[in-house]
Amino acid sequence: MDFIQSTDYSQFVSMLPELIVLGIFVIVLLADLFAGDTKKSFLTPMTAVLFLLGTVAIWIVPASGESIFGGMYVNDTMTNAVKAILNIGAFIVILQSAKWVDREDVVIRKAEFFELMLVTLFGMYLMVSARHFLLFIIGLETASLPLAAMVAFEKRHYESHEAAIKYILTAVFSSAILMVGLSFVYAFSTGSLYFDDLARVIQSGEMSGLLIAAIAFVIAGIGFKLSLVPFHLWTADVYQGAPTAVTSYLSVVSKGAAAVTFFVIFTTCFGGVYSDCWEWMMYAVIIATITIGNLFAIRQKNMKRFMAFSSISQAGYIMLGAMAADGRGLASMIFYIFVYIVSNLGAFAVISTIESSTGKLSMDDYNGLHKTNPWLSFTMTLAMFSLAGIPPFAGFFSKILIFTSVTGTGSMALYMLVLIALINTIISLYYYLLVVKAIWISPEEPKIGAFRSDNWSRLALWICVAGIVFFGIVPFIYQYCVDSVSASAGMLGLLN
Amino acid sequence: MDLSILWYLVPSVIMTACGVYGFITRKNLIAMLVSLELILNSADLNFVIFNRFLFPGSMEGMVFTLFAVALAAAETAIAIAIIINIYRSVGDSDIHKVNKMKF
């Protein structure tokens, strides 16, 4: 019996990344409790430094490669790499939120912001490492419920409340649908919800209506988190209403974790019915996601809404890795997430510094920005080029790697999918360049005066610029993704 | 008389359908939350039914249900807190009053 052996509590040591994040969470919580009513100006540097140390520890300490709690949780090189990458995203978000959390209506709750963020990160870790549907659900909820509190963080702003109610209702609806789907999965299992046990039951060719319904429900449930079309309707409103730091966190870190989890569930658990069932569901969903995300992004004037639709279409590109459904697909998906984190956070760092200094969010306000703020304009341009996939920036390499991983499977239908994605890349170029045009070419007088951003944001911007410029050119990063995936391929039971 | 599994599954399916229908049609935030609870509870019910009838030897479905109930409670708590915030700033919990951001 697995669960009798699992009472060995030394197994918790294998959950090193989780323990690190929980440790930081406890330290921040205690510091907040006992620091008194002072301004607590030490909190942001303390969290950032601790978090950086934790990230370095996750990078350095090799994964134990063990599966613990009867196989519910695995800690292998792949999950470790994903966690380290998510950590970098969260670190940049901490840096770019440093000025916002010191604003007078937020500063009293600034430790809460970091605490909630660390808890969501803990949930995402569980999601990525889960090999059992119970642990997966717990991780998913731990990740998405504190996020609702983070979205509602600006108590005095009506938009924040509206975004939060839209987020929590759709999130609960999606997880309810997901649970109904999982109960169907449970019905045709052998009484076990382990991914491996389910993979043995769900064999190729054995299709039933129940299985199709279950897979559709699970796609819908995780699709909400990833904001895939047709489950994307919350995205734009929530991104617009949430505080900008939370928006950037939602758009990269939570999306990255959900994408990797989607891949793990659908290749290990439902891998047997890949071509029978979910390949075609995802085919349609990806085409709709990329196209609709792009077409709606064109007409947006608010920068946060614009980034919302851009991130919807980027999620479609990320899910191309799941269509490849092999080790190469996973490696290029992780690489894409990494590049997407630095590019999107670069754009968001510019948006948030401009918003916190001048309060301006509309794309028209960016007209002639280069005259007053050349460095911010430069960063924004790089981020837009990277998101659109213009060489030699990182976004080009991540796109080409994910496209080749899909065409590498040799299926004609997937070639067509890549062609559609390519055409959409050209459409996306149009609206990304609208921002660049507003900044550099528009002849109007600049509406945003010259200002100097705070040092934290500058550090975040520098990290993002370095990532955008070097991640594509330096082969080490992609090699790291490939190595970490191939080292844990046995544990994943990848499709061949 | 032994009740077959269908006697339990049909109410569960009806609960799911009512929940989805209610979530889409109701205009009050609290009523929408109640509809969500219906879906969540029907999923829990499903787990218990399948465990009891299909896999009477194991406990996995029951354990899942225990955790799912706790998660549903947490979801409701946060949703209620946000609805109270909305009520304070709008003065109503009608969904039509919460539509400033669109398209």
Side-chain angles (χ1 to χ4, degrees), chain A residues 132-134 137-138 141 145 148 152 158-159 161-166 168-169 172-173 175-177 179-180 182-184 186-187 189-194 237 240-241 299-300 305, chain B residues 16 20 23 29 32-33 36 39-40 42-44 46-47 50-51 54-55 58 60-61 63-64 67-68 71 74-75 78-79 82-83 85-86 89-90 97-103:
Chain A
H132 184 282
F133 272 118
L134 177 56
I137 280 284
I138 293 173
E141 297 297 337
L145 293 184
Y158 165 76
E159 283 84 357
H161 299 319
E162 183 176 333
I165 194 70
K166 283 174 175 168
I168 189 74
L169 285 181
V172 176
F173 185 62
S175 52
I177 292 290
M179 279 193 207
V180 173
L182 290 187
S183 72
F184 293 165
Y186 184 59
S189 69
T190 53
S192 152
L193 281 167
Y194 285 99
D237 293 353
Q240 185 189 347
R299 57 189 288 271
Q300 299 305 327
R305 278 187 96 79
Chain B
T16 315
V20 173
F23 183 69
L29 289 171
M32 290 175 80
L33 201 58
L36 287 176
I39 313 177
L40 283 165
S42 81
D44 295 351
N46 269 348
F47 270 106
F50 289 136
N51 196 347
L54 302 180
F55 320 110
S58 71
E60 201 137 328
V63 174
F64 194 101
F67 278 91
L71 289 175
E75 281 163 353
I78 291 191
I82 294 172
I83 291 174
N85 268 342
I86 290 270
S89 58
V90 186
K97 300 270 172 63
V98 201
N99 58 359
K100 199 173 157 195
M101 291 184 286
K102 268 187 190 170
F103 308 113

